[in-house]
Amino acid sequence: MDLEEIDSAIQKMIRQLGAATKQRRQESFNVKEKIGFKDLVTSVDKDNEQFIDRKIKELDPDCQIISEEGFGDDVSRLQGHVWIVDPIDGTMNFVEQQRRYAIMIALYIDGQPTLGYILDVANNQLYHAWHGHGAYVDGQKLQQPADSGLHDSLVTINGGLILSGRGQVRQIAEQARGLRMYGSAGIELTDVITGRLGLYLSWLKPWDLAAGRVIAEELGLVVQNVDGSRPDVLSSNLVLVATSQAAQDIHQLVN
Ligand code: IPD
Ligand code: CA
Ligand code: CA
């Protein structure tokens, strides 16, 4: 199967899964704490992940899969096709709000961010990009957001990071036009991608960043660690996704 066929099959699958996920929120499901009461996993997260991983293996049999809830492979090298899956991003919102949660899937080929999908499930909006082929929301081409600096931007910073008082996070928030927090990396990234926010700053695991990174980079946004290095796809990173001006403003503040 070529990449074009894989791309359309993933788009179809993620939309169907989104509709099923929304439906399952109305039915009964199990909720468990992972490392504490702020970190949940539900039976829907687990079922979604098994479903996505199975579909990906059907479409792309020689690939490897990194997925949050542990049904994927044990991947230590970014060689060949590596898929990265977050079966529900914003599980707390899924449980408590029934909105602001996403399904995220990405494909990295030999380490190169290649395909990225973020489905805003509650709104049935699909953001996706293919490296070199453009970025889209519901089939409409997205343009590079205006290059606004920190002072002219609304920004989003992970709540835990702000509470930790780490680095100059508070100063960054103070320099910005306003601070917003949604509790889903995927949904927050869609707002940076569309220019509704100028910056997302958070401590992110591979599956929190992988899909958004493909889309953001395709739109000429900056995706980097706060120290300016390139995020390692296989580890957790303190990452910013921002306009170039906002990224420069942050480097001036931090360094
Ligand atoms: C979490 C959400 C949250 C972010 C956390 C993520 P999950 O994902 O994206 O906004 O702050 O870092 O772990 O656990 O709901 O998939
Ligand atoms: Ca998740
Ligand atoms: Ca996540």
Side-chain angles (χ1 to χ4, degrees), residues 17-18 39 45 47 99 105 110 124 141 178 202 210 215 220 229 232 250:
L17 186 62
D39 187 19
D45 294 67
D47 292 347
R99 62 178 191 143
I105 302 174
D110 294 326
N124 187 26
K141 202 163 197 295
S202 188
I215 306 171
S229 58
D232 175 12
I250 286 169

Coordinates of all heavy atoms in Angstrom, one line a residue, residues 17-18 39 45 47 99 105 110 124 141 178 202 210 215 220 229 232 250:
L17 N -13.7 6.1 14.3 CA -13.4 5.9 15.7 C -13.8 7.1 16.5 O -14.3 6.9 17.7 CB -11.9 5.7 15.8 CG -11.4 5.3 17.2 CD1 -12.1 3.9 17.7 CD2 -9.9 5.1 17.3
G18 N -13.7 8.3 16.0 CA -14.2 9.5 16.7 C -15.7 9.4 17.0 O -16.1 9.6 18.2
D39 N -4.5 11.7 36.7 CA -4.0 11.0 35.6 C -4.9 9.7 35.3 O -4.7 8.7 36.0 CB -2.5 10.6 35.8 CG -1.9 10.0 34.5 OD1 -2.5 10.2 33.4 OD2 -0.9 9.3 34.6
D45 N -10.0 4.4 26.2 CA -8.6 4.6 25.8 C -8.0 3.3 25.3 O -7.4 3.2 24.3 CB -7.7 5.1 27.0 CG -8.1 6.5 27.5 OD1 -9.2 6.6 28.1 OD2 -7.3 7.4 27.4
D47 N -9.5 0.4 24.5 CA -10.1 -0.2 23.3 C -9.7 0.5 22.0 O -9.4 -0.1 21.0 CB -11.6 -0.2 23.4 CG -12.1 -1.2 24.5 OD1 -11.3 -2.0 25.0 OD2 -13.3 -1.1 24.9
R99 N -15.8 17.2 26.1 CA -15.3 18.0 25.0 C -13.8 18.2 25.3 O -13.3 17.9 26.3 CB -16.0 19.3 24.8 CG -15.9 20.2 26.0 CD -16.7 21.5 25.8 NE -16.4 22.4 26.8 CZ -16.2 23.7 26.6 NH1 -16.4 24.2 25.4 NH2 -15.9 24.6 27.6
I105 N -2.7 10.5 15.8 CA -1.9 9.4 15.2 C -0.8 10.1 14.3 O -1.1 11.1 13.7 CB -2.8 8.6 14.3 CG1 -3.9 7.9 15.1 CG2 -2.0 7.5 13.6 CD1 -5.0 7.1 14.3
D110 N 11.9 6.8 9.1 CA 13.3 7.0 9.4 C 13.6 8.3 10.2 O 14.5 9.0 10.0 CB 14.2 7.0 8.1 CG 14.1 5.7 7.4 OD1 14.1 4.6 8.1 OD2 14.1 5.6 6.2
N124 N -15.8 16.9 15.8 CA -15.6 16.1 14.5 C -14.8 16.9 13.5 O -15.1 17.0 12.4 CB -16.9 15.6 13.9 CG -16.7 14.7 12.7 OD1 -15.7 14.0 12.7 ND2 -17.6 14.7 11.8
K141 N -7.2 23.7 3.1 CA -5.8 23.9 3.3 C -5.6 25.0 4.4 O -6.3 26.1 4.3 CB -5.1 24.3 2.0 CG -3.7 24.1 2.0 CD -3.2 24.2 0.5 CE -1.8 23.6 0.3 NZ -0.7 24.1 0.9
G178 N -2.3 36.9 27.0 CA -3.2 36.2 27.9 C -2.9 34.8 27.9 O -2.2 34.3 27.0
S202 N 4.9 22.9 27.1 CA 4.5 21.8 28.0 C 5.6 20.8 28.0 O 6.4 20.7 27.1 CB 3.2 21.2 27.5 OG 2.7 20.3 28.5
A210 N 3.7 14.0 18.8 CA 4.1 13.5 17.5 C 3.2 14.0 16.3 O 3.7 14.5 15.3 CB 4.0 11.9 17.5
I215 N 2.1 18.6 11.8 CA 1.2 19.6 11.3 C 1.9 21.0 11.5 O 1.9 21.8 10.6 CB -0.2 19.6 11.9 CG1 -0.7 18.2 11.8 CG2 -1.1 20.6 11.3 CD1 -2.0 17.9 12.6
G220 N 5.3 25.8 9.0 CA 6.4 26.8 9.3 C 6.5 27.2 10.7 O 7.2 28.2 11.0
S229 N 17.1 23.0 21.3 CA 17.4 21.8 20.6 C 16.2 21.1 20.0 O 15.1 21.5 20.4 CB 18.2 20.8 21.6 OG 17.3 20.5 22.7
D232 N 13.6 15.0 21.0 CA 13.8 13.6 20.7 C 12.4 12.9 20.6 O 11.7 13.0 21.6 CB 14.7 13.0 21.8 CG 14.9 11.5 21.6 OD1 14.5 11.0 20.5 OD2 15.4 10.9 22.5
I250 N 10.9 34.0 23.6 CA 11.1 33.1 24.8 C 12.6 32.8 25.0 O 13.0 32.8 26.1 CB 10.3 31.8 24.6 CG1 8.8 32.2 24.8 CG2 10.7 30.7 25.6 CD1 7.8 31.1 24.5

